Amino acid sequence: MARRKLLLLLKPFDVYQVTQSNAVSRFTNPQIFHYIDNRRKVHKEAINVCQKILQQKPIDWKPIFRNNLSQPIHNVDLVVTVGGDGTLLQASHFLDDSIPVLGVNSDPTQAEEVEKFSNEFDATRSTGYLCAATVKNFEQVVDGFLEDQIVPSKLSRISVSVNSKVLRTCALNDILIAHPCPATVSRFSFKIRGDDETCSPLVNCRSSGLRISTAAGSTAAMHSAGGFPMPILSRDLQYMVREPISQGPAISRLMHGLIKSDQSMDASWFSKEGFVYFDGSHVFHTIQNGDTIEISSKAPVLQVVLPHLST
């Protein structure tokens, strides 16, 4: 039997780098420096632990820092991300539906630490909502996958077409369609269209933009904005118009809702410029006045080892 191949995708530990010399000018509270430096050390140690465990397994594997990833990932049996949800989301943009991904939360939030510094600064670390492992159970989860005892779940992603051209990037969490300046009004319209070509009423909007989330992303920005959590394996999408300028009651009820798995959203953009952001601010596609955008959950799914199925 051929040896399994694994890619270890790492969050760089220098993102936490703060030197003692510039800490004085940047932070009035020395506890903040020690907190950030501890995060760097914890993350670096997590990388070392994961590598030592993999060295003991009968598999072929190689590490790569996430900022060095530029091409689609092929020819591996599993991608392991070490960081948080952001590292897993970045990996998802380079994966099709054939390769599963396992997230390792390298620096989990410590409730007692958050409480201790609550009156000084936000000591929240990594949420790791999509991460099935920490260093404490990484070996157990990897063994479960290699022994076929753990089966990845298939999570929906968002497919986006601009002017009938399908964009290469799929969103695992959400997309945001908005003007690049947050103080500028975004002008657009949209309607929901079914596979049978039935359509909802056309909604014309002036707002701060339009957010669409997957079920996996419904607990993130969508939930913070007043949306509702969805069952993580749902194929539906949830949408919300951000800060709409006052509309009549008949239109207001259409500002937030679902795009069912057999439906798509057809949107038209009427501002001079705009962006479609994928899973945060780092990946985006530019749009301009007159562009049409189609959004659906018909993108290839992503295989993810989920936390509640690996413990």
Side-chain angles (χ1 to χ4, degrees), residues 47-306:
I47 291 175
N48 292 335
V49 170
C50 291
Q51 289 180 325
K52 288 178 181 178
I53 289 173
L54 293 177
Q55 288 170 353
Q56 301 170 6
K57 304 299 175 183
I59 58 175
D60 296 325
W61 63 279
K62 66 176 183 179
I64 181 174
F65 285 108
R66 69 184 189 189
N67 49 320
N68 294 328
L69 190 62
S70 60
Q71 298 296 323
I73 299 171
H74 298 298
N75 302 319
V76 296
D77 299 295
L78 176 68
V79 173
V80 173
T81 64
V82 183
D85 287 334
T87 305
L88 192 150
L89 287 171
Q90 185 167 349
S92 75
H93 298 158
F94 296 90
L95 288 168
D96 60 18
D97 57 359
S98 65
I99 300 174
V101 59
L102 161 64
V104 179
N105 187 353
S106 63
D107 185 31
T109 293
Q110 303 171 23
E112 66 279 2
E113 182 181 51
V114 174
E115 176 64 24
K116 177 181 178 181
F117 296 114
S118 60
N119 292 326
E120 301 180 56
F121 61 92
D122 181 9
T124 302
R125 296 185 178 228
S126 174
T127 302
Y129 176 72
L130 294 173
C131 296
T134 65
V135 292
K136 294 180 179 180
N137 68 338
F138 174 61
E139 184 168 20
Q140 174 190 348
V141 176
V142 166
D143 286 345
F145 176 84
L146 295 176
E147 296 167 5
D148 298 320
Q149 297 175 354
I150 293 177
V151 178
S153 299
K154 296 179 179 180
L155 300 188
S156 293
R157 291 192 282 184
I158 302 173
S159 172
V160 179
S161 299
V162 176
N163 299 329
S164 301
K165 181 180 180 180
V166 179
L167 302 185
R168 185 177 66 86
T169 303
C170 303
L172 178 59
N173 252 13
D174 55 26
I175 65 169
L176 173 64
I177 306 173
H179 193 281
C181 174
T184 300
V185 173
S186 295
R187 291 175 167 85
F188 57 91
S189 65
F190 69 86
K191 59 185 177 181
I192 308 298
R193 175 172 50 84
D195 286 347
D196 59 0
E197 298 302 322
T198 57
C199 292
S200 69
L202 181 69
V203 180
N204 295 300
C205 296
R206 290 179 298 155
S207 73
S208 296
L210 174 67
R211 187 182 301 280
I212 300 101
S213 82
T214 62
S218 66
T219 60
M222 179 63 75
H223 192 211
S224 297
F228 51 85
M230 302 165 65
I232 196 167
L233 299 182
S234 171
R235 295 301 306 272
D236 297 339
L237 304 178
Q238 185 177 169
Y239 73 88
M240 180 180 290
V241 177
R242 302 168 73 225
E243 301 172 328
I245 294 176
S246 182
Q247 303 277 355
I251 297 298
S252 294
R253 63 182 177 83
L254 300 174
M255 294 292 159
H256 177 212
L258 291 176
I259 306 170
K260 294 289 191 177
S261 59
D262 60 349
Q263 296 177 324
S264 61
M265 174 182 281
D266 294 336
S268 297
W269 185 254
F270 297 121
S271 292
K272 183 178 179 180
E273 56 184 325
F275 286 169
V276 181
Y277 297 96
F278 292 81
D279 293 329
S281 62
H282 298 295
V283 180
F284 56 85
H285 180 87
T286 58
I287 52 176
Q288 59 187 359
N289 190 4
D291 282 350
T292 59
I293 309 153
E294 181 181 350
I295 304 107
S296 74
S297 61
K298 295 179 175 61
V301 298
L302 184 71
Q303 296 190 60
V304 182
V305 178
L306 291 177

